[in-house]
Amino acid sequence: MKIQKIIVLSAFIAVLGFASCSNGSSSDGASETDFNSKQALKFDLTNAKAIASVEESSSRNIAARASSSNLNSPLIKILEDSSVASILSIPSNAQGNISEIEKIINTQDRSGNKYLYIVFNGSSWFGYNGEDGEYINVNLSQLICVYEDGSYKDILGSNNNSSNPDWIDPYLKEYIQTDLNGCLYFIKCTNNNVSICKYDPVSQKTSNLTAPLEGINYGKFQMSQDGTKIFVSGNRYNYSSSSYGNSAYFIRYIPVQFPEDFKNIYYSSESYANYGWVYQDSTDYFYYIQENKNKHGLYRIKTSTMEEEHFYKDKFISVNEEPEDNNYYSSDYYLKTESGNYIAPYDYNQLYSTSNGIWAQPNRYYGSSKQFMKIVDNYGTYVGKTFDSVAPIGLYTYNDALYFLNAILDSSGNETGAQNIYMFDTNSGKFENLFEKVPVELEIISYSAGNGKLYFSAVKGISLLNGTIDLETKEFTRLDTENKLTSIAAY
């Protein structure tokens, strides 16, 4: 069989890693006070259209900042007219440290109630004199939930004062996610153990969804939108042996109501489970790509029955007519596109689900561009259609659109270090350069889409530029702040 291969001119291989817990935070400063009962911090989310964290030094002296202008706050809100204001108020006589903010997540429940989750780099502490003259010590964990009325809950605060507080490993913060009920899901570390946890903002309760076991390390995980199913990849290491071969790699389905009845979708002591996978809520199908001596191609499982099928196996073609048992490298098998080309499956190790199908993000160049690929439509039918882009970097989904950084290339096809922000509409199949009216080339720091706008922070040399883009007209408006915004969430 003669196969037309896609020529790879330059490669950027994204590898899905599994992170174990390594506690880099500290809980300096003593505290015996229940932080939430005092509500020492005050949050004002009134009229906010987006929330952003402001870069400051990792050691934050509260006393020095208390009398500063509102733009020196570690959190600001972006208003409709692109002006900004402080969100966070701290007691004027407070002294101590508030840790750097790593991530901001905004969500809402089915009734429209909003919740703002803030992830800090480490634990924080400070002390202040209360109204009755009592000196109050306060300890704050890495993860809090802020409510619309400005109150908050310290999610990991239950044992925050212990010598071994719970924490979130920096390698795992990217997997934090929410469901349609506003609940937060995250991987919590306790000593050397990890577990997937749920925070319910209504009951204000945190619960373990998996047992904290030594030797279990989790990587990517996905919740179903209704919060009833967990899908997670990871590995289990045998600490009693120094042999690497005692590791096992898995992709696992865990029903939230009966976590002891989990099912291994994939399990191997030989091969990584690091190819693309995703769960599609609309069809209840779990899709994954696998290449080893036993499995080659695209598979899917109906989670209600756990029946697996080799999905459209004719679309995965072997270069070798009769490959030997030990010849099962990914380069031997190619996924057929509608144009008749074949793409190695490891080129598409990031899969995404939208209401209209399953999409794959490439991690290799094809000529001077990369491609998105629609693998399956919303009816579960194989599509295999590719869409040319330029050089996408990172990706997140919002309202069936894929947003990503698009590397600006020079005349030789090399990246210049600057990026635009592009949107790919999965319904129309069209790309839009959201930066077409931005006057200069920029290096993007952070961005977020919502409320009809794109909010971003960027740098040009040593100069900062923060702004908004109207998603319909592409009009650019400069934000009224000269601070670097390390994380942004439309609110």
Side-chain angles (χ1 to χ4, degrees), residues 220-262:
K220 174 184 175 180
F221 82 95
Q222 180 187 348
M223 299 297 305
S224 61
Q225 292 181 356
D226 61 6
T228 64
K229 301 179 178 72
I230 305 171
F231 300 90
V232 62
S233 58
N235 69 342
R236 184 164 188 173
Y237 186 75
N238 184 356
Y239 284 106
S240 64
S241 172
S242 60
S243 172
Y244 181 75
N246 282 279
S247 291
Y249 308 94
F250 58 80
I251 303 175
R252 187 168 289 175
Y253 159 55
I254 306 171
V256 171
Q257 293 299 319
F258 305 99
E260 65 278 4
D261 293 335
F262 70 85

Side-chain angles (χ1 to χ4, degrees), residues 452-467:
K453 291 183 179 180
L454 179 85
Y455 303 87
F456 72 91
S457 183
V459 64
K460 175 71 171 178
I462 61 173
S463 301
L464 286 165
L465 179 65
N466 303 309

Side-chain angles (χ1 to χ4, degrees), residues 191-433:
N191 296 324
N192 290 322
N193 303 324
V194 298
S195 56
I196 299 176
C197 295
K198 171 185 176 180
Y199 174 73
D200 185 332
V202 176
S203 67
Q204 298 190 358
K205 299 295 184 182
T206 302
S207 56
N208 282 1
L209 302 181
T210 62
L213 297 175
E214 186 175 14
I216 290 285
N217 300 316
Y218 292 131
K220 174 184 175 180
F221 82 95
Q222 180 187 348
M223 299 297 305
S224 61
Q225 292 181 356
D226 61 6
T228 64
K229 301 179 178 72
I230 305 171
F231 300 90
V232 62
S233 58
N235 69 342
R236 184 164 188 173
Y237 186 75
N238 184 356
Y239 284 106
S240 64
S241 172
S242 60
S243 172
Y244 181 75
N246 282 279
S247 291
Y249 308 94
F250 58 80
I251 303 175
R252 187 168 289 175
Y253 159 55
I254 306 171
V256 171
Q257 293 299 319
F258 305 99
E260 65 278 4
D261 293 335
F262 70 85
K263 307 293 183 183
N264 284 320
I265 294 172
Y266 175 85
Y267 191 93
S268 174
S269 59
E270 298 180 345
S271 302
Y272 289 105
N274 63 348
Y275 292 98
W277 63 261
V278 72
Y279 172 71
Q280 188 178 36
D281 279 89
S282 59
T283 61
D284 190 37
Y285 275 116
F286 179 90
Y287 292 87
Y288 74 105
I289 294 173
Q290 191 57 53
E291 289 297 322
N292 59 37
K293 64 183 178 183
N294 297 316
K295 289 186 173 182
H296 316 284
L298 178 65
Y299 293 80
R300 74 176 181 185
I301 293 176
K302 188 77 169 180
T303 62
S304 58
T305 63
M306 291 305 294
E307 293 182 3
E308 181 180 77
E309 61 178 301
H310 195 169
F311 187 62
Y312 281 88
K313 61 183 179 180
D314 61 312
K315 303 301 180 182
F316 276 80
I317 308 299
S318 172
V319 174
N320 302 308
E321 293 296 335
E322 296 180 358
E324 298 178 3
D325 289 344
N326 63 350
N327 187 12
Y328 55 90
Y329 298 104
S330 299
S331 58
D332 290 334
Y333 289 86
Y334 293 84
L335 177 61
K336 185 178 181 181
T337 70
E338 71 167 8
S339 62
N341 290 330
Y342 294 86
I343 302 174
Y346 58 74
D347 288 341
Y348 289 89
N349 64 3
Q350 296 293 328
L351 301 184
Y352 300 87
S353 176
T354 65
S355 66
N356 55 26
I358 301 296
W359 297 81
Q361 177 189 12
N363 59 26
R364 288 188 173 223
Y365 289 110
Y366 169 44
S368 61
S369 70
K370 293 183 179 180
Q371 294 179 327
F372 287 109
M373 182 173 183
K374 185 174 185 178
I375 297 181
V376 178
D377 66 18
N378 57 322
Y379 299 105
T381 303
Y382 184 86
V383 178
K385 184 175 183 179
T386 56
F387 298 82
D388 285 336
S389 59
V390 182
I393 307 169
L395 185 146
Y396 85 97
T397 61
Y398 172 73
N399 284 352
D400 280 348
L402 309 180
Y403 292 82
F404 58 94
L405 301 185
N406 186 79
I408 297 175
L409 309 179
D410 62 21
S411 58
S412 300
N414 299 311
E415 295 187 24
T416 63
Q419 306 95 25
N420 295 318
I421 299 179
Y422 267 58
M423 179 184 71
F424 175 65
D425 187 330
T426 63
N427 292 306
S428 67
K430 295 181 179 179
F431 292 91
E432 293 186 57
N433 179 7

Side-chain angles (χ1 to χ4, degrees), residues 29-41 124-130 132 134-141 152-154 156-162:
S31 173
E32 298 297 332
T33 303
D34 179 359
F35 182 80
N36 293 291
S37 67
K38 298 298 181 181
Q39 295 288 279
L41 301 180
S124 307
W125 65 273
F126 61 92
Y128 68 100
N129 291 315
D132 57 1
E134 176 190 9
Y135 189 78
I136 301 172
N137 287 318
V138 177
N139 230 12
L140 180 65
S141 77
Y152 60 89
K153 172 70 175 181
D154 187 349
L156 299 180
S158 58
N159 70 340
N160 193 47
N161 301 326
S162 71

